[in-house]
Each structure stands twice: as structure tokens, then as C-alpha cells.
Amino acid sequence: MQTVKTLLLTFASLCVGSLSLQAEVKTYDFEDPKGVNNVSFLLDAPLESISGNAKGVSGIVTFDSANPKAVSGTITIETASLTATNNKLQEHMLGRGWLDASSHPTITFVAKSVSKVEELKDGFKAQLTGDFTLKGVTKELTVPVAFTYLPGMLGKRSNGAMEGDLLVLRSTFTINRSVYGIKPGQNSDKVAEEIELRLAIAGAAPDA
Amino acid sequence: MTDTQRIKSSPFRLVLRISALVLILVSTVFWISTGSHTGFSKDRVEIQQVDPITQIEYVDYEERFVLGVEYLVLAWGLGVTSFGLSFAFRRKPK
């Protein structure tokens, strides 16, 4: 009898342990109907400074608050959503000569591995390595990312329509346009070679 | 009547000077009224926002034209040129 009781207790504790482990792994959807998720870009050339913003962000990230190294997922930006403050500049930027948005409609980052994880008060920061694709050219990049985990905050954000957690990702990194075949070595006096990208996006994981 | 005599009585001098003054004044007033923007012209203006829950900073755009320095420089250039040209029609002293 004692053996059966012990076995039942062990089985029950294993089940609870397994459930709690599963509960920590969540999939966050970065589709944002509120229009808050954004990636800003800055090109600071000697003769002209170009800046703008992209809001066509989507993607799925799987995140385990207990095991940050297990992050995986993809973030996608619609190339056509890149907006500059000048219509002519925007037309040129999205045109065939530069980003060629019609032939390359998305810019993507596919996460592959996480390193140098440092715990923060409400999340952690880490170096995220992944494949970054721009204008059809894919290069491996390692970028610093701050993960802010906001458990139970989806309800507040959706005015109670949905309950769940939020995950905020922030990253600032620089790429070189020549590497991605964007007019290599041309117009450098007006269009900087280096593009600074600032990403600030929030994903939602509704409770099942 | 010689060409020189015709130039003497030309009204162009006054017209050019008034044009120069109007160009410089109107462009400067318009530039100041749209925000004295020191960069290139904008067709929309960024408005910084902060999401209260996630603290994400983002930009909303207001569709509004802001005159940039390229038009101001062009208007001043035309104004100065117009003023300079007016001297070509100067009356000769008797």
C-alpha cells in the first residue's frame, strides 16, 4: 500500500512539474493592430541625414522565461511600410534603385542562437545571432537584444479583451548597405553606408 | 532713340527690386511659420508617442508640409539675383 501511495505521489509530482515547465514556454505573436511596434532607421551622411520608421512588423517568437537561451522565432518587416518624412525620398528609397520593395517585399530576422545572457529586473539582455535578410541578401548577424517580460499585462493593453503575457524586444544595431547590395559605394555623400536600426516591438501571448 | 536711352526709362529696375523683396520676405515668413526647419522639406511631421503599457517609443505622422532650407536658399538666391540684375537698368547720371 505504501509503495502504491509513493508511486502515485511521484506520478502526481511529475505531472505538476511537467505542466509548470510547459506553462513557461509561450509563443508570442508580434502582429500589432495598435501600430506601436516599430523599427526606425537612421542614415547620417555628410550632406544629408535620412531617418524614418517602419511599422509593418509581424512575427512569432517562442520564449521561455525560465530558460532565455531557448528563444527562437522570426521577425518580419514589410519593406513597403518604410516611411520617410519626404514623399520623393520615400519613393526613391522603395524604388528599384534602392530597396526595390516590389521585388523584395520583406526584411526578416530569423533567430538561431542566444549568448551572453544577463539577467535584468524584468527580463534579460543577450546577444542574439540570426539570419538577417535585406533585399534578398542573407547574412548572419549578432545583435544585442533586451527582452522585457510583462506577465499578465496583455489584459491591460487590450482593455480586458484578452488575458495573457507580453514580451517586449528592444535592439539597436548597425548594418552596412553595401553588404546587402544597396548601391554599394555609390552616393555615399548623401546616403550613408551605415544604417542604424532601432527595433522596439511587443508580442502578445494570450492565455489558452 | 538708342538702346541705352531705352534702358534708362525701363521700369524693370523697380519691378526687379520689388520682386526680390517679395521673394525674400514671403519665403522667410513662410519658412518661419512652418517651423523654421533647418533640414530638407517634409511632407509629413513626426509626432513622438509612448505606449503606456510597454513604454515603447513610436512615431505617428501628421500630414503637413514643412518648408525646408532648400526652398529658402532657392528663394533667397533668386531674390539676390533679381536685386543684382536691377542694377543693369540703373539710370545714368546726367
Side-chain angles (χ1 to χ4, degrees):
Chain A
M1 188 64 188
Q2 187 63 36
T3 314
V4 173
K5 195 177 171 184
T6 311
L7 276 171
L8 280 171
L9 278 171
T10 310
F11 179 70
S13 64
L14 275 172
C15 285
V16 169
S18 162
L19 278 175
S20 66
L21 197 68
Q22 279 188 337
E24 284 171 340
V25 182
K26 287 197 167 183
T27 300
Y28 294 83
D29 186 355
F30 284 79
E31 190 84 50
D32 175 27
K34 293 185 89 140
V36 169
N37 286 351
N38 73 96
V39 179
S40 61
F41 57 89
L42 173 67
L43 297 88
D44 203 5
L47 292 183
E48 196 171 346
S49 183
I50 299 168
S51 63
N53 211 274
K55 284 194 174 180
V57 180
S58 61
I60 298 287
V61 170
T62 303
F63 172 72
D64 179 355
S65 59
N67 181 20
K69 283 203 165 188
V71 167
S72 64
T74 303
I75 296 297
T76 302
I77 301 158
E78 282 173 40
T79 311
S81 75
L82 268 73
T83 307
T85 51
N86 185 290
N87 286 342
K88 206 76 189 164
L89 174 68
Q90 185 169 326
E91 198 180 300
H92 284 165
M93 178 176 71
L94 299 177
R96 289 181 66 87
W98 293 92
L99 292 176
D100 195 5
S102 55
S103 304
H104 305 286
T106 58
I107 299 163
T108 57
F109 184 87
V110 181
K112 291 199 300 193
S113 64
V114 178
S115 60
K116 295 181 184 172
V117 178
E118 284 179 51
E119 291 238 0
L120 300 172
K121 197 180 79 181
D122 48 6
F124 67 95
K125 61 179 180 179
Q127 296 289 318
L128 188 64
T129 301
D131 288 333
F132 183 74
T133 304
L134 173 62
K135 208 184 175 185
V137 177
T138 302
K139 296 283 173 189
E140 189 177 273
L141 272 188
T142 299
V143 299
V145 181
F147 294 76
T148 306
Y149 178 51
L150 302 171
M153 293 298 272
L154 179 58
K156 209 170 174 184
R157 197 178 193 217
S158 63
N159 294 322
M162 277 186 287
E163 293 300 323
D165 302 341
L166 293 174
L167 178 67
V168 180
L169 307 183
R170 287 185 175 86
S171 181
T172 302
F173 58 99
T174 303
I175 58 167
N176 193 310
R177 67 178 168 91
S178 294
V179 172
Y180 297 91
I182 304 168
K183 291 207 176 186
Q186 294 178 51
N187 306 82
S188 300
D189 53 340
K190 287 182 181 171
V191 183
E193 284 291 321
E194 288 196 337
I195 307 171
E196 184 185 298
L197 296 170
R198 284 172 182 248
L199 173 137
I201 55 176
D207 289 340
Chain B
M1 190 183 267
T2 66
D3 282 352
T4 315
Q5 283 170 321
R6 263 204 304 273
I7 288 169
K8 270 187 201 172
S9 58
S10 171
F12 285 151
R13 188 172 75 155
L14 187 62
V15 169
L16 285 169
R17 286 186 178 183
I18 289 171
S19 303
L21 190 69
V22 168
L23 264 170
I24 289 171
L25 277 179
V26 168
S27 63
T28 306
V29 168
F30 188 55
W31 179 70
I32 291 169
S33 71
T34 59
S36 311
H37 178 55
T38 52
F40 288 106
S41 295
K42 293 179 175 183
D43 296 297
R44 58 187 69 86
V45 179
E46 304 113 321
I47 301 164
Q48 291 287 340
Q49 311 271 18
V50 177
D51 181 63
I53 308 297
T54 60
Q55 300 304 312
I56 289 177
E57 290 181 8
Y58 64 102
V59 167
D60 271 341
Y61 290 102
E62 180 187 332
E63 294 295 321
R64 175 162 60 88
F65 181 74
V66 175
L67 191 77
V69 286
E70 78 274 27
Y71 286 115
L72 190 70
V73 168
L74 182 69
W76 274 68
L78 284 172
V80 168
T81 307
S82 178
F83 185 75
L85 273 175
S86 74
F87 286 98
F89 301 97
R90 189 170 49 181
R91 286 175 195 276
K92 279 191 175 174
K94 287 180 181 175

